[in-house]
Amino acid sequence: MSILAVSSSYAKIRSLIDNTTTDALPPPSSITAGVESLPANLTAHGLGEEATEAHLLSDICPGFNGPKTSPNYYGFVTGGVFPIAEVADNIVTAFDQNVGVHLPEQSISTVVEDKALGMLVELLKLDRGNHWQGRTFTTGATGSNVLGLACGREAVISTRLRAAGESHGVGELGLLAACAKAGIKEIQVLTTMGHSSLYKAASVVGIGRASVKDIPSSSREPWKLDIAALERELKREQDGIVSIVALSAGEVNTGRFATSGSSSVARIRDLCTK
């Protein structure tokens, strides 16, 4: 498709969005019509660019729900953006940049991402002595928890492996062999009101959904972590049961934090460091 066609298509998309109602959900008839317009099988020949564009805009778009166009859609918050962020998103698509590999002599893209991450750390007041060197953007909740649990798994197992005189970690030895050499019987993930993606991530990284354990301070405040219970659970390390602590910085349904403030976060950090 030519650059002119891309520009024209985007103008049509913007016009379509601007003229979409603010209803949270589309009419059932629009969903039905869109479904019926989908091809039942792979065709021998494609529709062509213009017909495909018309199909997407006329048949498919009217069947979308309203995270972007309605102030009243609360099903999923997938990331509505300010207009300038939408511009940036389209720049990335247009230039097809890859931030998975750091090649500063070939592209500025990873440098831009690193600067953005650094400013995010500053915004959240997390940068204490420039400790947050390893940082990245993820695709969302599942990606974040998979990455977080994988890093946590590596950290708790490697700590015991080093104490046993083993220089390799899970990546080299494999999960079962690493745990055996480290004398680990169980890995538990301690949390409160864990998001569903935390359980999914525990399954993906080989820890298991059953390892995710809630330790709330009370039934009235199930989102708040019981620090005394946390301390007891962490002491099980001497019995070969190691722990990863997953704190919520704003539980997804209520916005409640798992901690009461910076002092409780510092206390949890101290307990985990022991």
Side-chain angles (χ1 to χ4, degrees), residues 188 190 213-218 225-243 245 267-268 271-272 274:
Q188 59 181 4
L190 305 175
K213 300 178 181 179
D214 269 315
I215 49 171
S217 61
S218 69
L225 191 76
D226 185 335
I227 295 182
L230 172 65
E231 187 169 12
R232 290 193 299 271
E233 291 293 334
L234 292 177
K235 288 180 179 178
R236 300 178 70 195
E237 195 268 344
Q238 60 192 4
D239 299 321
I241 300 172
V242 297
S243 302
V245 180
R267 173 62 176 154
I268 292 168
L271 289 173
C272 292
K274 285 183 179 180

Side-chain angles (χ1 to χ4, degrees), residues 1 69 72 78 81 85 95 104 124 127 134 143 168 179 212 248:
M1 185 179 286
T69 56
N72 301 314
T78 52
V81 296
F95 285 91
L124 298 176
D127 196 11
H168 294 117
C179 286
V212 181
S248 173

Side-chain angles (χ1 to χ4, degrees), residues 16 30 33-34 37 50-63:
L16 187 61
S30 295
S37 74
E50 290 186 5
T52 299
E53 178 192 71
H55 166 60
L56 293 173
L57 297 179
S58 301
D59 300 328
I60 305 303
C61 288

